[in-house]
Amino acid sequence: PIVGGMVSVACAQPVTVSATTNASGGFGLNIPTSAFPCAVKVSGGTAAGLPFAQPLHSYAATAGLANVTPLTDAVLAMALSAPPAQALAGWWAGMPPVNLAAWAGAVAQAEVTLKSALSAAGYVLPANLSFFTAAFTPVAGNAYDDLLEALADGLAMAGKTYANFLADLAANPAAPPVPRAVVKPTPDGGAIDVAPSPLDGGATVADAGSDAAMVVQGPLGADDGITGTVAGTTHKFTANLQWGVIASK
């Protein structure tokens, strides 16, 4: 979570409120229902004990729970790339625009498009998950938090920063280029079936509980079912995949 981040809002009807995120990344704001929709930004603070320099943005159509995460930020980057095209920083600098309510449709469509791209890239998305309004806690095992962590792993394996990711989404909102999910197999030789991905011609496989990973290339053909070791753990790979490059996750 982002701890100690400054939360700012800009609504269709002007309001003067702000907050600071707590130890769990949560915050609360008292905004009149008549002021919505609102744009939300979190800036500064720390994440995992390190300064968090990348502002995150979100969109709250109505009163209630509003998440501000890399996924809401990514959806907005896609939505704003449509005419009239704007970067997130420019969009926020122009707040509050008189047509803030007009962004609702573009935001909803961009969320659907990004979800589809994430699913196609191997990420696990719970049914009916809303990036903007789903209640979640930033702990391992929570579906939303696990998705955020998985995306961070995918970006790291693809050699991309989050800023690179946003730029890619803004440039290709109709077919967002999402890095392939890192698949973490069960230890002790469990079999795993991984589909090929654009990453070096193969899927990415990480050893559970370690920082080691490898890229697997296909096909294996008659050698399907080969076993090998990643960070001291033996795995058996199926689906016509073969061993490739050992890399850092």
Side-chain angles (χ1 to χ4, degrees):
I2 299 175
V3 179
M6 176 59 68
V7 183
S8 307
V9 298
C11 301
Q13 298 297 322
V15 294
T16 305
V17 293
S18 63
T20 302
T21 59
N22 60 27
S24 298
F27 63 91
L29 294 167
N30 187 7
I31 301 174
T33 302
S34 59
F36 287 85
C38 299
V40 189
K41 180 174 77 169
V42 175
S43 55
T46 61
L50 300 174
F52 193 81
Q54 176 77 45
L56 297 178
H57 304 79
S58 189
Y59 183 89
T62 60
L65 192 150
N67 294 322
V68 187
T69 73
L71 288 172
T72 64
D73 201 45
V75 168
L76 284 175
M78 292 170 57
L80 297 175
S81 66
Q86 292 179 274
L88 282 170
W91 183 65
W92 183 266
M95 289 295 169
V98 294
N99 66 337
L100 188 58
W103 287 104
V107 170
Q109 182 56 56
E111 183 178 15
V112 170
T113 302
L114 182 56
K115 284 181 178 179
S116 177
L118 287 167
S119 293
Y123 294 89
V124 177
L125 280 72
N128 303 316
L129 173 69
S130 167
F131 295 159
F132 292 85
T133 61
F136 80 100
T137 52
V139 295
N142 178 276
Y144 196 149
D145 189 70
D146 288 350
L147 176 58
L148 292 171
E149 293 293 336
L151 178 58
D153 285 347
L155 289 171
M157 181 57 70
K160 287 185 174 292
T161 66
Y162 178 65
N164 295 151
F165 180 54
L166 284 185
D168 289 346
L169 295 180
N172 302 278
V178 174
R180 185 74 187 178
V182 176
V183 181
K184 298 184 178 181
T186 304
D188 303 323
I192 182 168
D193 187 327
V194 186
S197 83
L199 182 59
D200 294 337
T204 304
V205 179
D207 184 39
S210 80
D211 289 330
M214 70 173 194
V215 177
V216 289
Q217 318 281 352
L220 266 178
D223 295 322
D224 189 15
I226 192 172
T227 59
T229 301
V230 181
T233 299
T234 299
H235 298 284
K236 179 179 179 180
F237 289 87
T238 60
N240 294 317
L241 297 176
Q242 67 185 14
W243 293 101
V245 183
I246 299 293
S248 175
K249 187 177 72 172

